[in-house]
């Protein structure tokens, strides 16, 4: 479930088919990186090169895994990592899969791919800030009600901090 103050750009109805998926462990280091689609609780990954094929030697499990991840950098550059490129094949856009209830249903891969590419290429979810002005108030004690009066503002001198 998405929080009330968060816009869900990747919503929709239907089942997603993600064949041959590789999970990613994101960690907690960056607030700019986030999961778009998390793995189910029964998912796990391990290193197949290590000895032993036990599920007890797992690297990450369940909601620690992301199947699709996205990042938006501070300069607004965006990228998405898909755990399954096969989900974008034409055969999965029109495929029928069995839902957990046993019913056959069409996949929502086409709509999901459209929503994901719209976000990635900044067609949706873009904030624009226009007409931002900063002015240094030179004398805060004598500030008139009209702060655009020339004698009290000095737009030629601007600093983020005055006490460095």
């Amino acid at each position: 479930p998405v929080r009330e103050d968060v816009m869900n750009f990747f919503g929709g109805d239907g089942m997603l088919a993600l064949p041959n998926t590789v999970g990613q462990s994101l960690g907690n280091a960056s607030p700019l990186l986030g999961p778009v689609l998390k793995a189910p609780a029964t998912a796990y990954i391990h290193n197949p090169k290590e000895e032993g094929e036990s599920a007890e030697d797992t690297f990450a499990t369940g909601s620690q895994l992301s199947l699709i991840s996205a990042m938006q950098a501070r300069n607004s550059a965006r990228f998405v990592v898909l755990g399954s490129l096969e989900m974008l094949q034409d055969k999965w856009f029109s495929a029928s899969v069995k839902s957990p209830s046993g019913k056959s249903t069409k996949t929502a891969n086409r709509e999901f791919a459209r929503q994901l590419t719209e976000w990635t290429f900044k067609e949706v979810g873009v904030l624009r800030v226009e007409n931002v002005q900063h002015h240094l108030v030179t004398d805060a004690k004598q500030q008139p009600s009209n702060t655009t009066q020339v004698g009290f503002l000095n737009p030629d001198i601007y600093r983020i901090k005055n006490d460095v």
Side-chain angles (χ1 to χ4, degrees):
V2 178
R3 295 187 335 229
E4 292 178 11
D5 61 334
V6 175
M7 177 72 143
N8 186 4
F9 294 110
F10 312 112
D13 297 326
M15 300 277 296
L16 286 178
L18 284 89
N20 302 319
T21 305
V22 176
Q24 307 126 30
S25 178
L26 302 179
N28 298 340
S30 176
L32 305 174
L33 179 65
V36 174
L37 181 64
K38 288 187 176 185
T42 56
Y44 68 92
I45 58 174
H46 67 92
N47 186 351
K49 293 182 181 182
E50 290 182 6
E51 288 186 26
E53 297 181 15
S54 170
E56 296 172 6
D57 299 329
T58 59
F59 178 71
T61 60
S63 63
Q64 295 173 327
L65 295 173
S66 176
L67 302 179
I68 300 173
S69 307
M71 180 184 165
Q72 180 168 340
R74 295 192 192 283
N75 67 353
S76 295
R78 296 175 175 181
F79 76 87
V80 174
V81 177
L82 296 174
S84 172
L85 289 178
E86 290 180 35
M87 77 174 285
L88 301 177
Q89 292 177 347
D90 289 340
K91 69 179 182 180
W92 292 107
F93 280 177
S94 58
S96 291
V97 293
K98 284 190 178 183
S99 66
S101 64
K103 294 180 183 178
S104 182
T105 182
K106 298 284 267 176
T107 62
N109 286 25
R110 181 183 307 273
E111 179 64 18
F112 182 77
R114 185 189 62 76
Q115 292 173 351
L116 196 61
T117 54
E118 283 179 351
W119 182 85
T120 304
F121 296 115
K122 299 182 189 174
E123 295 174 13
V124 297
V126 178
L127 297 177
R128 286 192 170 80
V129 179
E130 297 178 4
N131 197 16
V132 176
Q133 296 180 356
H134 297 271
H135 299 284
L136 178 65
V137 178
T138 56
D139 191 3
K141 294 178 184 175
Q142 296 179 347
Q143 189 176 34
S145 60
N146 181 3
T147 58
T148 59
Q149 190 175 347
V150 177
F152 295 94
L153 297 177
N154 188 350
D156 295 332
I157 301 172
Y158 174 74
R159 294 185 192 121
I160 300 295
K161 291 182 177 180
N162 284 333
D163 302 317
V164 181

